[in-house]
Amino acid sequence: MSLSETVRQKFPNEVVSTADLKGDPLVYLKRGSAADVMKMLKSDAEFRFDVLMDLFVVDYLHWEEKAERFEVVYNLYSTT
């Protein structure tokens, strides 16, 4: 099962949408659910994401098409 499918199955009420960017899965979550999802991805035997590579915030101040002004982005990595 893919990462996006696993997260959607285990957290059906928290996933807003999923996408794929050049082979890398993207999972968009509701505000406040990232910690629980990342704990699962760290402990899951299939994925084992054990490194938080990047953490940054995007400010969409002048993007009228965005409903929320800020977005938090987590880039995870598995050393295995």
Side-chain angles (χ1 to χ4, degrees):
M1 185 177 317
S2 74
L3 182 139
S4 299
E5 292 169 339
T6 300
V7 173
R8 191 178 288 279
Q9 180 184 23
K10 292 185 178 185
F11 299 92
N13 298 323
E14 304 303 323
V15 175
V16 175
S17 66
T18 60
D20 184 81
L21 179 66
K22 298 181 182 178
D24 291 330
L26 305 175
V27 179
Y28 295 89
L29 303 170
K30 290 182 181 176
R31 183 182 301 170
S33 59
D36 292 334
V37 173
M38 288 193 295
K39 284 178 190 174
M40 182 277 299
L41 291 172
K42 181 178 181 180
S43 63
D44 188 277
E46 183 179 356
F47 301 111
R48 294 186 191 148
F49 286 105
D50 53 350
V51 178
L52 174 61
M53 292 295 291
D54 295 304
L55 170 64
F56 54 95
V57 176
V58 180
D59 183 354
Y60 294 109
L61 176 61
H62 300 291
W63 293 41
E64 290 79 20
E65 64 271 11
K66 290 288 190 176
E68 298 287 333
R69 178 174 172 185
F70 296 103
E71 180 176 277
V72 180
V73 179
Y74 301 87
N75 288 324
L76 305 178
Y77 182 75
S78 175
T79 57
T80 59

